[in-house]
Amino acid sequence: MGELVALTKKDLKILLRDKTGFFFTFFFPLIYAIFFGTIFGSFGGGGSGTISIAVVDADKTKTSRAFTESLRGTPELDVVEMGRDEAVELVRRGGKVAYVALPKGFGVQRDGMLWGEPPTIEIGLDPSRQAETGMLKGLLTKCVFEGMQDLLTDPDKMHDQIEDWVASIKADENVDPMARTALLIFLPAVDTYFQSKPREKAVADGEAAGESGGAAGFQPIVFESTSVARQWDRPKNSYQISFPQGIIWGVLGCSAAFGISLVTERTKGTLVRLRMAPIGRWQILGGKAGACAVTTFALMCVLFTLGTVAFKLRPSSIGLLVLAMACVSLCFVGIMLLLSVLGKTEQAAGGIGWAVLMVMAMLGGGMVPAFFMPSWMQTVSHVSPVKWAILAMEGAIWRGFSPSEMVLPCVILVGVGAGCSVIGVRAFSWTEQS
Amino acid sequence: MLKLSHVRKSYGQNVAVDDLSLDIEPGEVFGLLGPNGAGKTTTVNMAVGLLKPDAGSIELDGQGSPEEPRVRAKIGVAPQTLALYEDLSAIENLNFFGQLQGLHGPSLAKRVAWALEFVGLTDRGFDRVKTYSGGMKRRLNLAVAVVHDPPLLLLDEPTVSVDPQSRNAIFDNILALKAEGRTVVYTTHYMEEAQRLCDRVGVMDHGKLLALDAVERLIEKHGGKSVVTAQTAAGDERIETDDPVAELSRLQAGGKLEHFRVDRPDLEAVFLNLTGRTLRD
């Protein structure tokens, strides 16, 4: 065991002293993760998973303020209120995805939408970020209808609103007489209906009226919630995609570097010395595998810690993330052993090894995230261990995998690692005999 | 110390070592000479347990085959290729290889200090090997071979590409190891080195041992005649003779000897006489 530790420590020491190798092992993956995380972030609303907008409230009425608050309460939106000129400038410079302007008269229009023109909201969009436009319009519509739902589910609010509406209709001379008559009959009748509904006490203190189980009132649909497994089908921020990818490049680099170093041991003659020592071949290869495993695991720990502290990586499960990292390590240690027998010289092993790893990375989503690939290529990507490595890490970060869902990628990673190890160790022994 | 009995090794149709028997005595410096492709490397690799012979047996110090790790631990090897980690210091190299040989703690520190002192690298022990000259690397290569205090040393061309100072230092090291009673197997292409250091020499070619004896006796048997080159009033004469003194006396008595030179046969002559002058690939 002491010899195994000595072999592992020796390789780690050599790696740490090789400045180029150290850079490509630890810093390149970090730069990759930050660079692509930032680029992807510009497509996703400031890198925080929200759409950052400016709100211009030119109306300054109770209704417009309530609408602005409703926008603020929407988790998908990052809302800042400001003047129109400032908002336009900020969107023009790319500081915000869009501005939402509530014009003068918005409150009156909104309150009188049953008989007058519907309220108008102006949206100023950054044309380079069309992807968010549809989502933003959907969120604005949702906020408008949330106000309606509020009324329909709270008889007291409905009562106050109907009184306001009735007063407005009576005061507004422009309302069509037919509509005025109909509304002055219809609205009090609605109020009577809602007031006649039996009131139920909120089930628990603090439960807001209007929510399911709160005060009675009209509800267009009743939702029954059933607890199911968490299904986070999109990352919270772009770094949750770019960090696993960056880490994969570091792991590939480790695999290639240690594979080549095994060839170097042979060409430089140190392997003869190692074999002359009273230790078994499994210890020689085990030491190299141990150093590779420690390095890849340390690389993942360092990058994930940095990502968590500085880039809001927020893994959904630390335990599953550690499991994923361990499986990724085992897989690429096996691949390292296989790479070490692909060439008899460092140049040959390096060339062939990187060619194999690049194909793995291309197919497996190491260069372009798999979900950007056409469907046929996503099917082909199943053959690449990189795909399963990224899936395992993403499963523990943002996909919200359960332990049973982690089984498939982990079993595949460990299986590939074991298979490659067996082939590598056998081939290594054979090359030593010749 | 090291006994090879009827050892044979072939690679496909090519017989590298053919029915070779050798018995290397404890405390001797044994030189193994031969042209390229003679089978020296294969013999050495079998002797240290890196290769398994197809036939015959190898035994070290009566304790078994060097293929067994505990037997192999009694051998120190300085390969011709500098088998060192250049990004580590001399001390780190020695510590690492010492640990692999089972040394730990104070005994390891003591042996590392001794090995550095032995090859004169104590002052540069903390420097990385890549900053060393060729001669220093060769000396460290020898230090790594002796760090675990093995009774048998195998030195494969230990003076290749070194300056005369380092070469002399290595010669002194080898003679010191011999004086301590260690057995040394020495392969080289430099005949003068073998002649200076080795008690006995074996000459191999085509996988077979052609001759094995003390250097002087090999020269006697296979070196050929001495050559006397004399300058006389009648002109230059070149005389091959078994008795150069008698020949010189004869020339002197004739009163016509002005200058002379005697070339006695050496190990190189033995080598060429045994293996021929045909170029080898």
Side-chain angles (χ1 to χ4, degrees), chain B residues 166-238:
Chain B
S166 284
R167 178 177 293 142
N168 269 310
I170 290 170
F171 290 166
D172 291 344
N173 290 150
I174 293 166
L175 293 173
L177 292 167
K178 183 189 173 191
E180 288 176 8
R182 287 187 174 86
T183 309
V184 179
V185 177
Y186 194 98
T187 71
T188 182
H189 281 113
Y190 300 121
M191 298 300 142
E192 71 278 11
E193 285 183 12
Q195 198 164 341
R196 173 174 167 179
L197 295 171
C198 298
D199 300 305
R200 289 193 305 154
V201 165
V203 181
M204 280 187 80
D205 201 9
H206 303 300
K208 289 181 178 295
L209 191 63
L210 303 178
L212 169 63
D213 215 328
V215 174
E216 284 306 316
R217 281 202 288 276
L218 276 178
I219 293 171
E220 257 177 49
K221 284 186 207 168
H222 306 285
K225 295 179 176 179
S226 297
V227 176
V228 175
T229 308
Q231 196 176 354
T232 64
D236 293 345
E237 280 191 56
R238 186 177 182 279

Side-chain angles (χ1 to χ4, degrees), chain A residues 51 71 74 76-77 134-144:
Chain A
I51 300 175
L71 292 177
T74 304
E76 293 88 350
L77 294 177
M135 191 175 174
L136 179 59
K137 284 179 180 170
L139 291 168
L140 291 172
T141 307
K142 187 186 113 189
C143 287
V144 170

Side-chain angles (χ1 to χ4, degrees), chain A residues 178-244:
Chain A
M178 282 290 286
R180 181 198 304 265
T181 306
L183 287 168
L184 288 176
I185 295 167
F186 172 69
L187 290 173
V190 170
D191 187 25
T192 306
Y193 168 73
F194 274 90
Q195 294 300 320
S196 68
K197 294 282 285 180
R199 307 209 173 191
E200 294 168 12
K201 180 113 176 96
V203 174
D205 287 341
E207 191 171 348
E211 288 181 1
S212 179
F218 172 77
Q219 282 184 278
I221 192 165
V222 175
F223 293 101
E224 270 186 13
S225 299
T226 305
S227 180
V228 294
R230 285 170 303 168
Q231 189 64 47
W232 303 351
D233 56 359
R234 63 187 293 268
K236 286 179 187 164
N237 64 54
S238 52
Y239 297 109
Q240 293 190 329
I241 298 173
S242 67
F243 266 76

